[in-house]
Amino acid sequence: MAKPDKVAAVAEIAESFRSSSATVVTQYTGLSVSQLSQLRRALGTSAKYRVAKNTLVERAAKDAGVEGLEDLFVGATAIAFIEGEPVDAAKALRDFAKENNALVIKGGYMDGKPLSVDEITKIADLDSREVLLSKAAGAFKAKLSQAAALFQAPASQVARLAAALEEKQRNATGTEAAEAPAES
């Protein structure tokens, strides 16, 4: 018979699987409590880092419809449930794992598919959403500036042509006026 606290834990983990945009499964053996706290701070509000028993996580994943992660639930397992931008959380986990060899990224899950460690690393290497949006805005602004200059060019050419014709006409009438007194 299942204990009520375990049933509640499975339900909570299953809901975390359903509500997260991505998950990253890690092994944390050898990390101290202070290092785990430091990792949670590095993840910020974009992810919840949860340590749980493998049997509970397996049941929760099955309840949530998450498949393909069964092989990852071996040893001391903790899962980062990413609620925000996957890129930011993947970067935080990758950077923390570089500094602390005790944290091992095993794999993950995103968009209905299991992720390998290499795929998580590729996600971490991407620019964040804000950086990509600012790059796109800069590119759009540059193209709009080019278009404005292109549309303005014919008008300014006509204005320069009119000014040149007017100058030529003034010079021509000024020359005729200067020649007229000399003939008299």
Side-chain angles (χ1 to χ4, degrees):
M1 178 140 200
K3 293 184 180 178
D5 58 333
K6 290 185 179 182
V7 171
V10 168
E12 183 183 333
I13 296 168
E15 181 56 33
S16 294
F17 271 117
R18 285 187 206 100
S19 65
S20 61
S21 59
T23 58
V24 177
V25 180
T26 63
Q27 181 175 340
Y28 66 94
T29 305
L31 289 178
S32 66
V33 173
S34 65
Q35 289 173 318
L36 285 172
S37 297
Q38 185 181 10
L39 174 58
R40 286 186 172 106
R41 278 192 302 275
L43 289 170
T45 59
S46 66
K48 294 179 190 172
Y49 193 69
R50 168 116 192 217
V51 175
K53 289 187 176 185
N54 290 327
T55 54
L56 299 179
V57 174
E58 282 184 53
R59 286 186 188 147
K62 185 183 278 187
D63 289 351
V66 174
E67 298 175 359
L69 299 181
E70 296 81 19
D71 296 340
L72 303 179
F73 302 136
V74 178
T77 302
I79 302 174
F81 294 103
I82 303 167
E83 296 178 4
E85 187 65 32
V87 173
D88 296 336
K91 281 183 186 191
L93 286 166
R94 178 199 61 196
D95 294 345
F96 191 86
K98 282 182 182 178
E99 295 173 9
N100 301 283
N101 293 336
L103 181 71
V104 177
I105 298 174
K106 295 180 177 182
Y109 193 81
M110 187 170 84
D111 295 333
K113 298 178 189 173
L115 297 173
S116 68
V117 176
D118 291 336
E119 290 171 322
I120 293 170
T121 303
K122 287 179 184 176
I123 291 170
D125 290 339
L126 293 173
D127 287 331
S128 69
R129 183 176 187 268
E130 290 78 19
V131 171
L132 290 174
L133 287 174
S134 64
K135 284 182 179 180
F140 288 138
K141 182 180 177 187
K143 290 298 178 186
L144 287 174
S145 296
Q146 288 175 347
L150 182 66
F151 292 134
Q152 186 182 7
S156 63
Q157 286 175 347
V158 168
R160 283 194 300 270
L161 180 62
L165 287 173
E166 183 179 326
E167 183 68 29
K168 184 177 180 183
Q169 192 175 23
R170 268 195 236 133
N171 288 341
T173 56
T175 311
E176 290 174 10
E179 291 176 5
E183 292 178 7
S184 34

